[in-house]
Amino acid sequence: MIEDASRRVVIMGAGPAGLTAAYELMRHHLPSITLEKDPRFVGGISRTEEHRGYRFDIGGHRFFSKSQEVEDLWTEVLGDDLLVRGRLSRIFYQGKYFDYPLKASNALLNMGPLETVRCIASYIWARIHPYRPPRNLEEWVTNQFGQRLFRIFFKTYTEKVWGISTKDLSADWAAQRIKGLNLTEAIKGALLPQRKPKSGKTGKDGKLADRSAVIKTLIDEFRYPKHGPGQMWERVAERLRAGGNLVALGQQVQAVRHCGGRVTEVVVRDHASGQVGSVTGAHFISTLPIRELIHKLEPAPPPAVVAAADQLKYRDFLTIAMVINRSQVFPDNWIYIHDPSVKVGRMQNFKAWSPYMTPDDQTTCLGLEYFCFEGDGLWSASDEELVALGRRELAQLGMCKPEETLWGVVVRQPKAYPVYDDEYKRHLAVIRRWIEPALPNLALVGRNGMHHYNNQDHSMMTALLAARNIATGSHFDPWKVNTDAEYHEEARFDDDDTSGRQMPKLANVEK
Ligand SMILES: Cc1cc2nc3c(=O)[nH]c(=O)nc-3n(C[C@H](O)[C@H](O)[C@H](O)COP(=O)(O)OP(=O)(O)OC[C@H]3O[C@@H](n4cnc5c(N)ncnc54)[C@H](O)[C@@H]3O)c2cc1C
C-alpha cells in the first residue's frame, strides 16, 4: 500500500469511472487508493458476476465509443480478449420474433393478414382523427402509427422499463426521438433502396466520418470482452495493484469529512470485520450516487442542498440468471419481451455475447431482466420467489419447460438509472453551486456520481478529465462531457437498452 498520504488521491467506488481515474493518475505517477463497497467484484454496474462458472452482466454491455481515446484504452487493456461480436436482437411478442430494428416486411408477415389489415385500418383512422395536439407519448405515437401498432410495439415495453403509464410520458420527447417517422415513411423506407453507408470507424480525433454508418455498424456488430465487461475492470484493478495502488474491496464509505473548505478524510466500514477506519488524502474523487454522497458529508451541507439531493430519483433493476439444460434457447444476444402477460422486460443470452461466458456448451444462461423500484414488490420478493417467477415466465413464453431450468440466481442493482424528470437539472444546479466552491478538492464523476446517463465511455471520460485536473493542474470540465445518445443505439425511445440515456420525460398534462 502506498503510504504517501500527502499526495494520495482517495477514490470512492471501483466502477469504470473510479478505476479509470486511478489508472490515469498512475500514468501521471500519482498514488491512489480506491474504496469499493462490493466485497467481491470491481466494475460497478459494468461488472461481470460469476456463479458456478457462469459469467453474466448487469444488462449486456456493448463496448463502443465515439472517443478514440476510450477505444484505445479498452484495446490497450484487453488486447485480443476484446472480441468483435455479431448482433442479433429481436422483439418477442405473442410467440413470434420481430426483427429489431423493425422491418415492415417482417412485421407484416409475423402479424398475419388479419392483424395487418387491422393495423392499417387503425393507422388510417389515426391519420383522419389525430389527437390535436397530442398531449402525451401515447397520443403522439398513436398519431404516427395507429393505436394497434402502438399497443404492440410501444406501450407494454415502455411501461415495463420506466414503470410509468405512456399517458404520463411527454409527447415532445417522443417527437424528438422518432423525429418525422410515421407508418407511411417506415413502409417507404422498407420498400425503397437504401444508400449504402461508408465506413463506420471514428477518426483519430474521435469525430464521426458518417453517423449513419456508425449506427449501421452498431446494429450489426459490437466489441465485447471475452469474459464480459468485468474482465476490463478486473484487469485494470490488477494493473493498479501491480503499480502499488490499493483497490480495496468490501470498504463501504460511510462518511466524508471536511474542514476549512477541503475534504480531509473518508470513513470506511470493512465488510468482513465490521471495523471502521479512516483514509486521508490530498484529493478525493466520488463516483457515489450524489444523493448518498450529500448525506455522507460531515458537517452536513446547508438544508437546501440536502433537500435538492433528496429529490434526485433512480430506477432500479434486477436480473435473474437462469441456467437451462439446452444448448440453445434462441440465437439472439438479447430479446425485448413485449408480451404484457409477463413481467420480464428483456432477456440476455450470455453465450451469444461471448461463448466464454458459459462453461458448458450443452447449457444456456439467460439473464431475465426486470425493471423495478427499490422496495417494490419485485425488488422485495425473496430470491426463491424470483427464481420461481423466472421459471414460470420462461415456460409461459414457450421458451423452455420448467424442468429444463436447472437453477437460477438473482442480482439486484439499485440505482441502475438516474431519472431525468422535469426537476433534476434544477436540483443538480443547487448541489453544484454549493459543492464546487465549498470543497474544491472533491471531484464528482461517473454515472450516478454526476446523475448523468453516462455509458462506460462517458463515465470514463469524466474520470480521465478529473484525474488530469489533479495531476496537471488543468481545468477541464467533466460536466461538459457529451451525453448525446444518438450514436450509441439506434434511436429506440422506449428503453435505455444499453445506452442508459434515452429516458422519456414526464408529460406536463392533466390526465
Ligand atoms: C442495464 C444497463 C445496461 C448498460 N449497458 C451499457 C452498454 O452496453 N455499454 C456501456 O458502455 N455502458 C452501459 N451501461 C452503463 C454503464 O453500466 C455505466 O455507465 C457505468 O458502469 C458507470 O460507471 P461508474 O463508475 O460511473 O458507476 P458504477 O458502475 O455505478 O460504479 C460505482 C461504484 O461505486 C460503488 N459504491 C457505491 N456506493 C459506495 C460506497 N458508499 N462506498 C464504496 N463504494 C461505493 C459501487 O458499488 C460501484 O462499484 C449500462 C447500464 C445499465 C443499467
Side-chain angles (χ1 to χ4, degrees), residues 12-18 35-38 43-46 58-62 251-253 287-289 292 296 317 346 416-417 445-448 454-457 459 488 496-499:
M12 296 171 246
L35 303 165
E36 169 55 52
K37 73 173 176 188
D38 193 307
I45 305 172
S46 307
I58 314 308
H61 274 64
R62 282 183 285 170
Q251 303 299 316
Q252 174 148 25
V253 173
T287 72
L288 272 42
E292 290 183 19
K296 291 183 194 304
F317 177 91
R346 198 170 51 186
Y417 305 97
V445 299
R447 179 163 161 121
N448 287 330
N454 289 333
N455 256 325
Q456 282 182 103
D457 60 336
S459 307
H488 200 276
D496 148 291
D497 186 25
T498 56
S499 76

Side-chain angles (χ1 to χ4, degrees), residues 34-190:
T34 307
L35 303 165
E36 169 55 52
K37 73 173 176 188
D38 193 307
R40 292 183 305 152
F41 301 104
V42 291
I45 305 172
S46 307
R47 70 190 179 278
T48 300
E49 296 244 357
E50 182 166 353
H51 289 262
R52 304 192 207 175
Y54 288 83
R55 290 178 71 88
F56 56 91
D57 300 355
I58 314 308
H61 274 64
R62 282 183 285 170
F63 279 50
F64 176 79
S65 183
K66 254 187 197 174
S67 155
Q68 193 61 44
E69 186 172 10
V70 169
E71 289 278 357
D72 290 346
L73 183 56
W74 287 331
T75 310
E76 178 207 316
V77 172
L78 290 166
D80 290 344
D81 282 348
L82 195 50
L83 312 175
V84 176
R85 303 296 297 163
R87 169 188 167 167
L88 176 63
S89 62
R90 291 175 294 173
I91 291 171
F92 189 74
Y93 178 72
Q94 291 197 333
K96 297 209 171 93
Y97 290 95
F98 292 77
D99 286 346
Y100 189 79
L102 287 171
K103 291 195 189 99
S105 51
N106 163 272
L108 299 181
L109 199 71
N110 265 335
M111 287 190 300
L114 186 62
E115 187 58 35
T116 300
V117 170
R118 284 189 185 135
C119 287
I120 291 173
S122 120
Y123 173 62
I124 294 170
W125 176 264
R127 296 311 277 180
I128 300 170
H129 305 284
Y131 292 102
R132 274 221 185 96
R135 291 168 307 166
N136 53 47
L137 184 140
E138 177 158 338
E139 293 180 358
W140 193 92
V141 179
T142 301
N143 279 355
Q144 306 301 108
F145 295 93
Q147 178 73 14
R148 285 194 93 86
L149 282 173
F150 163 73
R151 290 197 164 274
I152 299 174
F153 292 114
F154 297 91
K155 183 179 167 62
T156 318
Y157 191 73
T158 309
E159 291 183 349
K160 279 185 191 178
V161 172
W162 297 110
I164 301 167
S165 161
T166 45
K167 286 196 172 67
D168 293 334
L169 296 172
S170 143
D172 293 352
W173 191 83
Q176 242 176 42
R177 300 238 51 92
I178 310 184
K179 304 214 166 81
L181 195 65
N182 59 33
L183 189 61
T184 316
E185 293 301 318
I187 292 175
K188 262 201 238 158

Side-chain angles (χ1 to χ4, degrees), residues 256-365:
V256 178
R257 292 192 175 138
H258 59 102
C259 177
R262 294 187 74 74
V263 173
T264 51
E265 61 178 0
V266 297
V267 178
V268 284
R269 185 177 176 280
D270 180 69
H271 176 83
S273 66
Q275 277 183 351
V276 174
S278 69
V279 183
T280 56
H283 290 271
F284 295 78
I285 295 180
S286 170
T287 72
L288 272 42
I290 294 189
R291 196 167 79 189
E292 290 183 19
L293 174 76
I294 292 297
H295 279 277
K296 291 183 194 304
L297 287 170
E298 290 179 1
V305 174
V306 178
D310 284 341
Q311 294 304 313
L312 295 177
K313 299 186 185 69
Y314 304 88
R315 180 79 167 145
D316 310 292
F317 177 91
L318 67 85
T319 186
I320 310 174
M322 299 288 271
V323 174
I324 294 152
N325 194 11
R326 221 199 256 187
S327 60
Q328 179 156 295
V329 180
F330 50 81
D332 309 49
N333 312 95
W334 70 91
I335 53 176
Y336 304 99
I337 309 293
H338 282 211
D339 199 316
S341 68
V342 291
K343 292 192 169 121
V344 62
R346 198 170 51 186
M347 280 189 205
Q348 304 289 343
N349 175 14
F350 293 108
K351 75 182 190 191
W353 284 81
S354 160
Y356 299 92
M357 299 286 278
T358 307
D360 175 359
D361 196 40
Q362 292 313 302
T363 60
T364 297
C365 177

